Amino acid sequence: MFTYTGLTDQQCQAFTQFAEFLRAENQKYNLTRITEDADIYTRHFADSLEGLVLMDQDGPVKLLDLGSGPGFPGLALAIARPQWQITSVEATGKKAAFQQQVAELLGLTNVRVLPVRAETLAHAPGHREQYDVVTARAVSHCQILAELTLPFVKPGGQLIAYKGPDIDTELTQSKPAIKTLKGKIRAVHAYTRAELAQKASLPTPAEDGQMNLIAVNKNGPCPKVYPRAYGQIKKKPL
Ligand code: SAH
């Protein structure tokens, strides 16, 4: 059974069911390398929920999670914050279909899963600069990620990038891209796997590891040409 500080029993039950379904479906097709319950609870669930430290605010939040894979952090945030509206964008059809099944299984009415690419969606009027928060975990280098995500963020909103241990070089390299897209790095929140385990009432893992969340504020509208086609973003990152 998953437990987590601040969540109701019903929410913890939803997470537990999510883990069971993830393990079952993972045997059919490869959705995640993480398959032990304790690892799913810390590395997927508690890690996804750590973002709340930077994004919890009063009132409803319109959030887009880009490149959500099997649903992280998007679906985890949807369970934890039922009053928020979550749009989960995942280009790979089988992963998006898995998320849709999870949403149905758990009766999540605050999630829509879109099986599309960010570069296309970010130019659609209903999505461009429409979100209070955009999240992305393990999607790409911040230099590329900035172009894929910041066009979705409302001026005044923020991007939360979930990153691993070494971010200094990546942040330095990404500053010009973030600036061009009208973003500004606001905060970095560092945390450890041991802290995640503690919040989920699990024993301290043998192998610890540091992770970082990067919060980027959006100060004005992005130039209309961004995001470019993916080939161009990769070939000539901002
Ligand atoms: N966020 C998840 C998955 C990370 S893997 C997690 O942390 O577990 C990165 C995912 O991003 C892949 O599933 C890939 O299909 C998706 N992705 C990468 N680029 C994308 C793009 N431009 N548009 C939409 N999805 C993308």
Side-chain angles (χ1 to χ4, degrees):
M1 173 87 184
F2 178 70
T3 59
Y4 190 83
T5 316
L7 293 189
T8 65
D9 286 353
Q10 212 185 351
Q11 286 169 320
C12 289
Q13 258 159 29
F15 274 110
T16 308
Q17 243 187 310
F18 187 176
E20 276 167 27
F21 190 62
L22 179 61
R23 266 193 287 111
E25 292 297 295
N26 205 44
Q27 291 176 351
K28 296 187 214 160
Y29 41 72
N30 196 24
L31 291 158
T32 177
R33 284 175 292 118
I34 298 172
T35 52
E36 295 295 322
D37 266 347
D39 282 341
I40 295 177
Y41 291 173
T42 50
R43 295 189 193 205
H44 281 327
F45 296 165
D47 191 51
S48 294
L49 296 175
E50 190 66 16
L52 291 170
V53 168
L54 291 169
M55 57 176 118
D56 251 343
Q57 49 189 278
D58 293 334
V61 169
K62 242 183 111 173
L63 181 147
L64 180 143
D65 184 31
L66 172 66
S68 42
F72 305 118
L75 292 194
L77 295 170
I79 297 170
R81 293 291 176 270
Q83 70 280 25
W84 291 9
Q85 254 180 282
I86 311 285
T87 301
S88 182
V89 177
E90 170 50 53
T92 305
K94 72 166 188 184
K95 294 183 188 173
F98 168 80
Q99 289 191 45
Q100 192 59 51
Q101 284 178 292
V102 174
E104 281 161 28
L105 180 74
L106 304 181
L108 301 175
T109 52
N110 60 334
V111 180
R112 61 177 168 178
V113 183
L114 304 180
V116 295
R117 290 201 64 90
E119 311 82 276
T120 319
L121 192 69
H123 289 283
H127 295 278
R128 192 174 183 83
E129 290 169 337
Q130 296 295 312
Y131 295 91
D132 304 304
V133 180
V134 174
T135 53
R137 191 180 83 149
V139 175
S140 56
H141 190 287
C142 274
Q143 207 178 347
I144 291 174
L145 194 64
E147 185 165 348
L148 293 174
T149 53
L150 283 171
F152 288 109
V153 183
K154 270 182 193 167
Q158 61 170 342
L159 159 68
I160 306 289
Y162 288 66
K163 290 281 162 186
D166 305 313
I167 50 163
D168 290 352
T169 314
E170 183 170 344
L171 282 185
T172 309
Q173 288 168 344
S174 310
K175 275 192 180 142
I178 292 173
K179 190 166 176 219
T180 303
L181 296 155
K182 305 290 184 267
K184 192 168 193 304
I185 296 167
R186 172 174 69 84
V188 174
H189 168 66
Y191 58 103
T192 62
R193 194 167 294 147
E195 286 166 352
L196 295 181
Q198 198 178 13
K199 288 189 186 181
S201 310
L202 286 164
T204 306
E207 175 205 350
D208 203 3
Q210 197 187 310
M211 284 146 308
N212 289 282
L213 292 169
I214 302 166
V216 178
N217 278 352
K218 175 95 174 273
N219 298 320
C222 286
K224 289 214 162 41
V225 289
Y226 304 118
R228 296 162 292 163
Y230 195 68
Q232 266 180 295
I233 300 177
K234 283 274 300 190
K235 205 161 82 187
K236 264 190 120 190
L238 288 172

